Amino acid sequence: MAAQESVPTTVEYVKSRRSSLISAIFLMATSAIGPGFITQTATFTVALGAAFAFGILASIVIDFIVQQNIWRVVTLTKMHSSEIANATIPGSGYLLAILVIFGGLIFNIGNIAGAGLGLNALVGLDPKWGGLLSALLAIYIFSSRKASTFIDRLIIGLGVVMVGLTLFVAIASNPPVGEALRQSVLPDTVDFAMITTIVGGTVGGYICYAGAHRLLDKGTVGIENINVVSSAATKGILVVGLMRYILFLAILGVVASGVTIDISGHAANPASQAFQAAAGNFGLRIFGLILWAAALTSVIGAAYTSMSFLTAFKSSITERQRNIATILFIAMSLIVYLFMGTAPAALLVFAGGFNGLILPIGLTLFIYIGWKRSDLMSGYHYPRWLLWSGVVTCALTWYMGVMSVGAIFNYLK
């Protein structure tokens, strides 16, 4: 009887683990494919053409190494990132939490701006009203008693919609795929500020912790889960990488055809121009839906992950208290967006760059933990190839950040 009774328990455990892994994959992926990334990709593709393929590839490689290290450490220590940092270097967790929350706030202002731009392209609604309605929808989701389940389902559904629609436009724009593949490894031009910005927009700030913290909150932790967690991180990065390339190719096809896209105007929205050029007014509506879906999922991801860092200041915080803090976080982002004067597209590019500057700080802490603090990971023998690749990536992100900090803040001008 005991053996028979254990069967449903095992089945439930497997189903629960699969569900948590899928939700973590899509939370990470949709956070990485936000309105900032869409706007940055369009802006930089117009500026660099096929040479920007190198920046896309670099962001995917950096993303893989960063996510593998962070998912692994969080899973093994069974702690939120700020708590891990404090346990390693006292006080560092507070610094990391402040930087991620502040970076998440900037990102979320941009996400709400992106939602406004999306609804403007989709149904012609004023961007301010579109941002307001989208933020209120996100607040409603977090105020629901079934917020956790609803978030998982919404993010997965919208993620699939984004990939499918972008692929349609990429085919319609007929991009020079061969040239893009060549310049992925042999670029005519390399721009560190653009690479730092695109890395920041896809793995910087809160984004690199989103999936890992979702796994932690779902209880998929410990050495016994490390292989499936590592596999899930890889699958998430493959989803993100696929979306990045097809979005880049969709816009490159338009640029290569000779269509002029404005990236200099105060209210320029290069991605919408590219989608409209590729598929007419229908393309513009598709862009609006993609951008709105990307923005809404990123508002949820940014708020959820940023507020998960509150454990640095109150380790006993309850789920209800964190949901309240998340609602206030979204409301604050909304208020700033409604009263600010910066063009939404410019803000979205800056947000990625700023979070790219935060990335090396957190990554440095995690690489140090992997090398020196196996005691926090139940004595786990950390893969040396992952640590060495992490060291190289960490040094690269520091270098790119130092080289591009001035150019990143110029995006606000």
Side-chain angles (χ1 to χ4, degrees):
M1 287 294 291
Q4 290 179 335
E5 288 174 2
S6 69
V7 172
T9 304
T10 303
V11 171
E12 285 298 317
Y13 169 75
V14 171
K15 287 178 64 178
S16 175
R17 187 175 72 173
R18 186 191 304 122
S19 174
S20 67
L21 290 170
I22 292 173
S23 65
I25 287 170
F26 275 89
L27 183 65
M28 181 264 278
T30 53
S31 293
I33 310 167
F37 174 74
I38 293 171
T39 304
Q40 293 153 19
T41 300
T43 302
F44 298 153
T45 302
V46 172
L48 293 180
F52 186 54
F54 177 77
I56 299 287
L57 179 61
S59 73
I60 293 171
V61 173
I62 291 171
D63 195 356
F64 173 78
I65 295 168
V66 171
Q67 296 285 10
Q68 284 288 350
N69 277 291
I70 290 177
W71 282 42
R72 194 173 296 260
V73 171
V74 169
T75 300
L76 291 167
T77 59
K78 305 178 185 178
M79 293 188 285
H80 286 96
S81 299
S82 53
E83 297 173 290
I84 299 169
N86 273 336
T88 307
I89 303 174
S92 63
Y94 302 120
L95 173 64
L96 182 63
I98 290 169
L99 287 173
V100 169
I101 291 171
F102 181 67
L105 181 65
I106 294 177
F107 238 130
N108 226 29
I109 296 166
N111 290 335
I112 292 173
L117 288 175
L119 287 181
N120 175 256
L122 181 62
V123 296
L125 191 64
D126 181 273
K128 294 287 186 183
W129 281 107
L132 173 64
L133 292 175
S134 301
L136 291 177
L137 176 58
I139 288 172
Y140 171 75
I141 290 169
F142 277 103
S143 64
S144 168
R145 289 185 178 180
K146 297 183 178 180
S148 180
T149 302
F150 188 71
I151 288 168
D152 290 345
R153 291 176 179 173
L154 179 71
I155 284 176
I156 292 169
L158 291 179
V160 171
V161 168
M162 281 192 285
V163 174
L165 289 177
T166 308
L167 180 60
F168 168 78
V169 176
I171 293 171
S173 73
N174 192 29
V177 177
E179 180 66 8
L181 291 175
R182 182 187 72 80
Q183 296 222 41
S184 294
V185 291
L186 295 171
D188 293 340
T189 306
V190 177
D191 188 310
F192 283 117
M194 289 186 180
I195 294 175
T196 301
T197 298
I198 206 72
V199 167
T202 54
V203 73
Y206 79 91
I207 296 172
C208 56
Y209 307 104
H213 283 193
R214 191 63 175 162
L215 285 176
L216 181 64
D217 290 344
K218 291 278 189 175
T220 307
V221 293
I223 293 177
E224 66 274 15
N225 285 309
I226 196 63
N227 290 333
V228 291
V229 166
S230 177
S231 174
T234 301
K235 289 172 184 174
I237 293 156
L238 288 175
V239 171
V240 173
L242 175 66
M243 179 64 177
R244 288 178 196 172
Y245 258 107
I246 60 176
L247 176 64
F248 161 68
L249 289 172
I251 296 164
L252 180 63
V254 173
V255 173
S257 71
V259 173
T260 300
I261 296 177
D262 175 30
I263 61 173
S264 60
H266 180 71
N269 190 347
S272 70
Q273 297 171 54
F275 274 63
Q276 188 168 19
N281 284 333
F282 181 60
L284 181 63
R285 303 291 177 255
I286 288 176
F287 163 77
L289 181 57
I290 292 171
L291 187 66
W292 179 78
L296 182 63
T297 53
S298 292
V299 167
I300 292 169
Y304 169 83
T305 309
S306 296
M307 292 300 94
S308 71
F309 277 80
L310 290 177
T311 55
F313 309 101
K314 186 180 179 183
S315 59
S316 61
I317 190 169
T318 65
E319 184 177 354
R320 181 175 179 275
Q321 289 171 334
R322 202 166 74 182
N323 277 350
I324 292 172
T326 304
I327 290 169
L328 293 175
F329 182 83
I330 297 172
M332 186 184 303
S333 306
L334 174 63
I335 291 168
V336 174
Y337 164 67
L338 291 175
F339 289 97
M340 67 181 298
T342 305
L347 178 69
L348 288 168
V349 175
F350 168 74
F354 181 82
N355 281 278
L357 300 177
I358 295 174
L359 173 61
I361 298 172
L363 185 56
T364 300
L365 285 167
F366 274 78
I367 296 302
Y368 174 78
I369 292 164
W371 277 110
K372 299 294 185 180
R373 296 304 303 270
S374 63
D375 58 307
L376 293 176
M377 299 181 288
S378 304
Y380 175 76
H381 183 69
Y382 211 97
R384 285 299 179 260
W385 70 267
L386 191 54
L387 285 174
W388 280 114
S389 59
V391 169
V392 173
T393 302
C394 194
L396 181 63
T397 55
W398 275 112
Y399 174 75
M400 290 194 303
V402 171
M403 292 293 291
S404 59
V405 61
I408 287 167
F409 277 89
N410 282 337
Y411 291 137
L412 283 180
K413 295 182 180 178

